Each structure stands twice: as C-alpha cells, then as structure tokens.
Amino acid sequence: MYSDIIALMRPEFLLLAQIVFLLIYDLFVCECGKKYFDTIACGLFVVCSVISFYPFGGVTVFGDCFGGMFSTSEMSQIVKMILCLGALLVFLQSKTWLNDERIVGKRSEMYILTLSTLFGMNLMMSAGHFLLFYLGLEMASLPLVTLVAYNKWSKESVEAGAKYVLMAAFSSGMMLFGIALFYGSVGVEGMYFDAIRKYLMVQPIQLMALVFFLSGVAFKISLVPFHLWTADVYQGAPTNVSAYLSVVSKGAAVFALMFLSFRMFANVFVYWQYILATLIVLSITIGNLFAMRQTNMKRFLAFSSISQAGYIMLGMIAGTDMAMTSVVFYLLVYLVSNIGLFGVVSIIENKTGMLTISDYNGLYKTNPKLSLAMTLFLFSLAGIPPFAGFFSKFFVFMSAAEEGWYILVFISLINTVISLYYYLLVVKAMFITPNENPIEEVKSDCFSKIGLFICLACTILLGIFSCVFAFISDASFALF
Amino acid sequence: MEIPMQCYLIVALVMFFSGVYGFITRRNLLAMLMSLELILNAVNVFFVVFNRFLFPEHLEGMFFSLFVIGVAAAETALAIAIIINVFRSSKNIDNEEIKELKY
C-alpha cells in the first residue's frame, strides 16, 4: 500500500529529502565544508534526479494515489525530467553569482528555494484535482518571489520582487475565481479533473470560468494581455533567477495547462481554441514588436520569451497527440537555448556588470567562444535550420496546420521572420559593429562551462537525433 | 426565512470586483495588498456558498476555502516582508514613486 505511494511519488520524496538534507548540512557543517556547498548541492541533485527517473527493472510508476488526487503518467514523468534538467542548468550557471561576497553567506537558500519551487511544479504536473493544482502553483510561485528579491542591496531586485509578488497573488486570485465558478457549475462529483470533464458543457457560466481560469494561468506563462510584469521582473531579478523564471517556471505553467486542457476541456474545446488563437497572435506579434526597441539585454530576452510563449501555445491549439509532442519538444529546445543565452549574459554581467546590447559590440574579438555560443543559441531561438530550434518550430507549425489553422500558422511564420531581425541585431553587435574598447576577456568558472556545454550540445543534437522526439511522441496522448 | 443563494453570490461578486478595482487604482502597495485580500476572501465566500447550497453532501468547497486562507496568509507575510524591503531601499511605498524599472 505505502510502497505504491512511495514508488509513484519518488521524484517528490527525493526533492523533499534534498531540501531537508541541504538545510541541515548548511546549519551544522564547518567552514571548510561550506566551501564545497555548490558541488555537493549540484551532485546531490544529479544523483537524486537519476534515481527519480531511472526505471529500476520496470517498477510500475504510473497510476493514481490518494484517491485520484495525484496521478502520474509516462508524459508527466518526461515533463518532470525536463524541468529537472532546467533547474540543473540554472544551478550550474549560478555559481559565480552565489559566490558574490554580499550573498555568499546565504547561498544555500537559493538551492533550497529553487528545489521547493521544483517540488511545487511536480505537484502541478501530477495533480488530478484542483486543490492539488492550486497548492502546487502557489508552492511554485511563492519561493520564486523571494528568489527575485534575492539581491537585497539592489533597489531594482527589491522592486521586481514587489511587482512579482503582487502580480502572482492577483493572478492566483483570478484563477481561483475561475475555479470557484467551475465548482459551482460542474462540481457535482467534486473537483477531480475527470469528474469535471464529464459535466463541462457550453454554458455562459462555464465559459466565464474558463476565461478567468485561463487568464490566471496566462499570467504565469506571460501571454500578451497579461505580460506587463515580465520585462520589469526579468530586468530586476538576478540574471540566473530570470533564466529560471523564463524557462522552468513558464514551462511548468505551460505543461500544467497542457495536462489540464487535455484532460478536461474536451467539450468546450472549440471555444478554448478561439480564446487561445487570439492570445497566440497577440503574444507573438506584440512580443516581437517590443523586443525590437529594447536596449537592455535582459528586457530584450524577456520580450523574446513572451513571443516564444506564443509559439509554445500554438503547439497546443490542435489538441492531437502530435500537438502534445510538439509542445513538449518545443519547450525542451527552448529550455536549452534560452538557459544558454541567459548563461552567457550572466557570465558577462557577473564579471563586468555590462548589460546593454551596445556593450556587446565587438565581443567576438575578445571572447570568441562566448560569442560563438551565444550566436548558436540565438540562431536556435530564431529557428535557423541546422539547429534544434528549426525542428521544434517546424513541428509546432505542422501540428497546427494539420488541423487547418492556416492563417494562424501564416501569421506566426511572418513573425518568425520579424524575430530574425532582432536576434540578428545582437549577432551583428558581437561580430560586425566596430568597437574601440570591447569587454575584456572573461574567464568563467568550470560550473558554467559545463552548463554551457550541455546547452550547446543539446541545441545542436536535439534536432538531428530523432530519438528524443520519438521518445516524447510515444508518451503523448490526444484530447479526444 | 431562508436567504436565497443569489444574495450571497451578489455580495461575493461585489467584493471580488471592488478588489480588482482597488488593485488597479490604488497607489499604495499596502492598499493593493488589502485589495488582494478582498479578492481572495470573495473567492472563499463563493466556495462556501456553492458548497452549502448546491452540494451539501460533500465538503470540498469548505476545504478548498480553508486551504485558500492558509495560502493567502503565507502570501501576505511574504508581500509585507518585501514591501518593508522596498520601504527600506526607497523610503516610499507609493507605486508612482517606485520606478527604477521602466522602458
């Protein structure tokens, strides 16, 4: 009985164990032990993640427990793996930032808070009931607030924290209102997703519930009418936390929405598609237009991530199993290239404090490796053929076009061309624009080197080797 | 005389939308926080009323509202801690004055 629960919730229990262990380790170990804190935390995380997801002799890990509140499937395991990979890459890149003398004393908190958000995200992925979904969402967003306001000496970081906490609470209020309306209109058998799916019909109150619920989640994904916090928070937060926000936190919200809509919204799917289509067109276009006029690197990445969120949602619109595969694959590719990009930005920011795009002028002369890596990541985000970004965009477009969303695909294609312009602006600044005194040569620590290497390898190889896509494709399921 | 469900719902709706209105128009961070509490409490009223009138045979709404109260307390504690930090760094919690981050 209990062994079933432990087998099903293995990733969650291991995350909890890591949190407790790191807390105790940080409290009781001597000074010389603290020097190795980063190594120990990262190593422990790798080991625990492997144990979480390794199929030990075919132990069954799919099923329900707690009366259907918590359920795992093959897909949810894959998604959790992707989130763990994202968190690991962020850990690897944040060593330089965490060894800043102003926060080195409390660096353990960063690991503990990040792991707690990961725990909340895992709950969101496996939720089978709105209560668990809500708790997971809050668990994923509240520790992030403290991470955003981590640099207490910096006015900007604190201000970003204030903005983020208010927006997070407001969006969860909106989402709760939607959930309350769902409960009132279709809650005869309680708030289990499967029960709600049976009773959901096209009535005004249920559509209103859908809209409020979606707007709450869209705040987390930063789709366009709900994107206003994004640029400010990404700019103010420490760069590594911005990376986490833009990829892992956003990805978790996307995955949660994906599972929820594939399990619940079969009867209202036509309306859901039209709402989604509007949000997609708005986010892709407005994200692109605002990204063009940014001068700050982090704001630029924020707006580019808004428009990327539009592409991710474009994958979801079809509701077939191909759609689910394309969303997960797109997010995996987006994760490695965006974290890599943030990694380069954070290396340069932590060493020199330079953040505007014009600071990158002539970077190629002094840091050829970094600028080459950055170019590859930018190409991947823009979707230029040999890299994984091209294939992920291709699958997303294909899944939408298969269901006849030609106009939507056409608009997104035009926007892809527009996005090339601003991604290439950065490339131009690094390689072509002449500069008398470019940023001097930057030495990064071996942690960030490993992180960047993983990102680069994934960006190049994910598109060429189809086994990853086939692996995801085997696990995905359709709406109907 | 039993008060019909609609009366409770109207009160809760008014609470919810005055919370939204307050969140958008207020300039003081603490007042915004209070509007947020109004929103969350309106949602609690919804849950409890739906449970009491529509589905009295189970208790899901009641439990959900209990959890919402707990999470709201955590959220408020965090928000106030950060607002204190904002006040320390800029001697002000008026959101017109906090504008380090802008285009």
Side-chain angles (χ1 to χ4, degrees):
Chain A
M1 167 75 207
Y2 289 114
S3 63
D4 280 0
I5 295 179
I6 291 175
L8 277 178
M9 297 187 72
R10 199 163 54 179
E12 287 76 16
F13 280 125
L14 280 171
L15 274 176
L16 273 185
Q18 281 176 75
I19 295 170
V20 173
F21 173 79
L22 289 182
L23 266 174
I24 294 173
Y25 183 84
D26 188 50
L27 268 182
F28 293 112
V29 84
C30 61
E31 275 306 312
C32 56
K34 275 187 185 164
K35 252 193 288 182
Y36 302 107
F37 193 87
D38 302 294
T39 323
I40 287 173
C42 290
L44 191 67
F45 186 64
V46 172
V47 170
C48 285
S49 307
V50 170
I51 298 175
S52 303
F53 299 114
Y54 189 77
F56 291 105
V59 180
T60 156
V61 285
F62 313 123
D64 296 346
C65 58
F66 301 114
M69 269 226 177
F70 187 94
S71 67
T72 56
S73 61
E74 220 172 320
M75 202 61 191
S76 72
Q77 295 298 101
I78 292 179
V79 158
K80 283 176 193 172
M81 259 186 258
I82 294 177
L83 294 180
C84 272
L85 174 70
L88 176 68
L89 292 175
V90 173
F91 282 158
L92 287 175
Q93 287 172 356
S94 43
K95 186 171 181 247
T96 318
W97 165 55
L98 287 175
N99 284 308
D100 184 313
E101 60 195 11
R102 289 171 290 191
I103 51 171
V104 71
K106 55 171 189 169
R107 67 179 159 182
S108 63
E109 291 167 23
M110 190 269 178
Y111 291 99
I112 292 162
L113 290 169
T114 313
L115 289 175
S116 334
T117 61
L118 209 58
F119 178 74
M121 286 164 194
N122 278 1
L123 288 188
M124 257 159 94
M125 296 307 116
S126 303
H129 187 279
F130 266 125
L131 183 56
L132 199 63
F133 177 78
Y134 171 67
L135 287 179
L137 193 87
E138 290 297 331
M139 182 98 191
S141 66
L142 290 188
L144 262 179
V145 173
T146 47
L147 281 176
V148 169
Y150 207 80
N151 290 349
K152 260 165 80 178
W153 68 88
S154 137
K155 251 183 168 179
E156 292 183 351
S157 175
V158 172
E159 185 186 331
K163 278 180 178 161
Y164 189 62
V165 69
L166 289 174
M167 281 333 256
F170 184 69
S171 66
S172 67
M174 289 287 147
M175 197 191 73
L176 275 176
F177 187 62
I179 294 177
L181 291 183
F182 272 132
Y183 178 58
S185 55
V186 288
V188 185
E189 287 180 30
M191 284 188 281
Y192 293 97
F193 294 158
D194 300 337
I196 288 181
R197 177 189 178 125
K198 264 190 290 181
Y199 293 98
L200 206 60
M201 277 173 297
V202 188
Q203 282 173 0
I205 186 168
Q206 292 166 9
L207 290 183
M208 193 166 139
L210 184 66
V211 169
F212 270 98
F213 179 77
L214 185 63
S215 61
V217 183
F219 262 110
K220 305 266 181 241
I221 312 179
S222 67
L223 290 173
V224 148
F226 319 105
H227 68 293
L228 292 165
W229 59 275
T230 319
D232 289 353
V233 171
Y234 285 15
Q235 187 193 348
T239 310
N240 303 100
V241 177
S242 307
Y244 192 76
L245 265 177
S246 82
V247 176
V248 182
S249 160
K250 181 181 282 194
V254 169
F255 288 141
L257 188 62
M258 180 181 81
F259 282 126
L260 227 138
S261 61
F262 275 62
R263 288 172 70 173
M264 255 176 60
F265 292 156
N267 297 337
V268 289
F269 197 63
V270 183
Y271 296 87
W272 155 255
Q273 278 176 322
Y274 281 111
I275 301 170
L276 212 57
T278 324
L279 291 183
I280 289 166
V281 172
L282 282 176
S283 348
I284 295 182
T285 320
I286 295 182
N288 270 345
L289 293 182
F290 276 88
M292 275 185 225
R293 55 184 287 253
Q294 300 305 323
T295 51
N296 183 303
M297 203 65 203
K298 274 153 92 179
R299 289 189 85 86
F300 163 78
L301 285 175
F303 281 106
S304 111
S305 89
I306 290 172
S307 89
Q308 296 284 343
Y311 290 110
I312 297 169
M313 301 308 282
L314 176 67
M316 218 186 284
I317 202 164
T320 53
D321 51 354
M322 174 69 200
M324 186 181 252
T325 320
S326 70
V327 170
V328 176
F329 187 68
Y330 194 102
L331 234 144
L332 179 60
V333 172
Y334 168 69
L335 182 141
V336 284
S337 25
N338 217 32
I339 288 189
L341 209 50
F342 268 107
V344 178
V345 174
S346 81
I347 288 171
I348 290 175
E349 190 203 359
N350 284 330
K351 297 280 175 180
T352 60
M354 307 267 200
L355 253 184
T356 61
I357 293 180
S358 53
D359 287 333
Y360 284 72
N361 286 350
L363 187 72
Y364 178 66
K365 289 218 182 75
T366 46
N367 297 294
K369 281 183 201 154
L370 271 187
S371 37
L372 198 66
M374 192 150 173
T375 313
L376 295 190
F377 295 136
L378 285 168
F379 279 176
S380 173
L381 276 185
I384 289 177
F387 305 110
F390 168 74
F391 294 97
S392 62
K393 274 210 170 65
F394 173 74
F395 289 128
V396 161
F397 289 150
M398 198 172 83
S399 78
E402 268 176 355
E403 296 292 303
W405 293 89
Y406 295 118
I407 301 177
L408 200 62
V409 170
F410 184 67
I411 297 174
S412 322
L413 274 176
I414 293 178
N415 272 297
T416 315
V417 179
I418 299 175
S419 75
L420 259 180
Y421 166 70
Y422 60 79
Y423 286 128
L424 290 182
L425 271 188
V426 182
V427 178
K428 171 177 162 271
M430 287 188 303
F431 284 90
I432 299 172
T433 314
N435 192 354
E436 289 298 304
N437 43 352
I439 298 173
E440 71 261 34
E441 196 179 346
V442 177
K443 276 256 180 275
S444 49
D445 57 300
C446 69
F447 274 63
S448 346
K449 271 182 194 155
I450 297 173
L452 274 185
F453 183 75
I454 296 176
C455 290
L456 258 181
C458 290
T459 310
I460 295 169
L461 296 181
L462 273 180
I464 301 171
F465 290 102
S466 60
C467 55
V468 179
F469 186 80
F471 182 56
I472 298 172
S473 172
D474 284 342
S476 57
F477 53 90
L479 181 83
F480 296 105
Chain B
M1 190 190 78
E2 174 104 341
I3 302 174
M5 185 173 83
Q6 282 81 352
C7 299
Y8 292 102
L9 290 187
I10 288 170
V11 172
L13 260 187
V14 170
M15 263 170 84
F16 182 82
F17 283 105
S18 55
V20 172
Y21 177 76
F23 184 79
I24 293 167
T25 53
R26 288 285 165 168
R27 293 175 52 197
N28 190 303
L29 289 182
L30 281 175
M32 287 169 85
L33 198 60
M34 282 152 73
S35 314
L36 277 178
E37 289 299 305
L38 213 54
I39 292 175
L40 292 176
N41 284 327
V43 172
N44 285 342
V45 174
F46 268 108
F47 274 118
V48 172
V49 168
F50 282 143
N51 195 344
R52 163 80 178 69
F53 283 90
L54 296 178
F55 319 115
E57 68 278 2
H58 59 64
L59 282 175
E60 290 207 4
M62 303 279 182
F63 278 114
F64 211 113
S65 62
L66 274 180
F67 277 98
V68 174
I69 292 170
V71 172
E75 232 161 34
T76 316
L78 201 55
I80 287 185
I82 286 181
I83 290 173
I84 289 172
N85 248 331
V86 170
F87 184 75
R88 271 198 198 134
S89 70
S90 60
K91 296 283 168 265
N92 207 331
I93 51 169
D94 189 335
N95 65 10
E96 301 275 313
E97 302 296 322
I98 306 169
K99 49 189 177 191
E100 291 284 311
L101 302 171
K102 254 189 164 181
Y103 291 78

